[in-house]
Amino acid sequence: MTAEPQRIDLLITHGLLVTMDRERRVITDGALAIAGDRILDVGKTHALQSKYQPRRLIDASEKVITPGFINGHVHCTGEPLTKGFVPDDTPFEENVFEWLCPIYAAHEPDDEYLSALLIAIEMLKTGTTCFLEAGTVRFVDHVVRALTEVGIRARIGRWVWDIPPEPRVYRQTTDEAIRHLEETLQQFRRRANGRIQAWSMIIGHTTCSDALMRAAKQLADEYEVGLNMHMSPAAMDPQGFLERTGHRPIEHLAALEVLDRNVVLVHMVHVDDNELRLVKQKEAHIVHCPTTALKVAYGVTQIGKFPEMLAMGINVALGCDGSNAANSMDMLRATYLAAGLFKDARRDPTMIPAETALEMATLNGAKALLLENEIGSLEAGKKADIVLFDRARPEWVPLHNVANALVYSADGRSVDTVIVDGNIVVENGRCTRVDERDIYQRAQRAGQAIVARTGLPRRMKWPVI
């Protein structure tokens, strides 16, 4: 007697599945069975069709199906509403302290809400289903509300430092900064079925005292979350640590017992071999932001050690950074650069193959966010965070090698459907939960108002008449 098909919520059939599983299987005429917020089964269409009776069926005959991308570094407020306003010829310190800090300080609660909505829409529509915020949120409740509404997965945190006196709205004593950390961790421990969670986050660079860094690590351990910080994109960080402590930044973090397997270090361009040995020994994670490195001129192609990090077995994920740094939240653009930059810089085409770059955008990102058992691949038991790309586009035709096509040919514009936690949040290229057009109009008005409040000059090189 034939068994009755099992009732499930969603069955996706006839797709080309890039599973990113342990064997890195690519399944032709593949199918995914989804029950609730998780993947129940993965296999050939004919096998799954006979086993399951779905409430909804998606025919993915002309689709490439991947896990959702994981963006390991995003400034989800402060910059989306001023995207492209900061001139692209500003040195790092001027960029951060003379432009970005005043812009962040001019944001009101509704601006941060709208900013988070806007950037989450951009990420979802280009295939990112989960991201790690940069710790640059001021009004955390407004940001959490926005991210919950749009349906994305995120790890977020508040702007915390205790050394810089300016901007005044971010001035904090060490005790205040620690209190802000703990309050955020308590209040936003688990939201939206666990999709949204606070992490222990500090700005990093040379902005945090030893006491604050120690406390941030202790709180991360206590609340069983990660600790996230910027470090060494430019020479100012190692120079600052050497002047203050006599040690390079990662050496100092190790001495403070801050460096650990739940720590994410973002940028990490100006590093030496001993620092990398410490990162490897302590099993910390690194996020490479290639789009930002090129625009802000970090020197990544000249001194960057990302191929060496990967060869050492260090977990290196990818990030897109801010809307006045990378300016784009399309993870496939970052993946393309990750695969290509060091081929040219080293004159070696074996540097960071396309397959490795895709691992950085999926599995490595999941591991950095302490979610390797939940997301990053299409496997039974994992969360249903899934992206369907439309193959009926010129960049996808003809299709011979799907890894090469994803990294070198396609970009986020071919994303058709996005599923997060089993929910369809993008369908036919449009967000399902929010009114995109209304948000774009509001974002334009809010961005112009923020720029006016800062008093910063409009430094366009071309006349606007």
Side-chain angles (χ1 to χ4, degrees), residues 433-449:
R433 294 185 165 201
V434 293
D435 183 340
E436 289 183 41
R437 183 174 178 81
D438 174 65
I439 291 166
Y440 300 154
Q441 292 172 343
R442 290 159 58 196
Q444 183 66 39
R445 293 193 297 269
Q448 291 170 335

Side-chain angles (χ1 to χ4, degrees), residues 3 28 51 60 68 111 113 146 203 226 246 252 288-289 316 330 332 356 358 362 366 380 384 393-394 424 454 461:
T28 60
K51 292 170 63 176
D111 297 323
Y113 166 76
I203 297 299
H252 190 62
H288 175 29
C289 300
V316 182
D330 188 340
L332 281 180
T356 300
L358 287 171
T362 54
R393 294 171 56 95
I424 297 174
T454 67
K461 295 183 175 68

Side-chain angles (χ1 to χ4, degrees), residues 64-82:
V64 169
I65 306 174
T66 72
F69 297 128
I70 300 158
N71 191 336
H73 187 65
V74 178
H75 293 256
C76 76
T77 68
E79 297 184 53
L81 298 182
T82 59

Side-chain angles (χ1 to χ4, degrees), residues 36 41 53 154 169 186 188 194 219 221 230 281 313 340 388 414 446 462:
D41 204 348
Q53 182 177 338
V169 296
Q186 287 175 346
F188 303 101
L219 286 168
D221 293 343
H230 303 78
Q281 177 187 337
L388 280 66
S414 63
W462 293 348

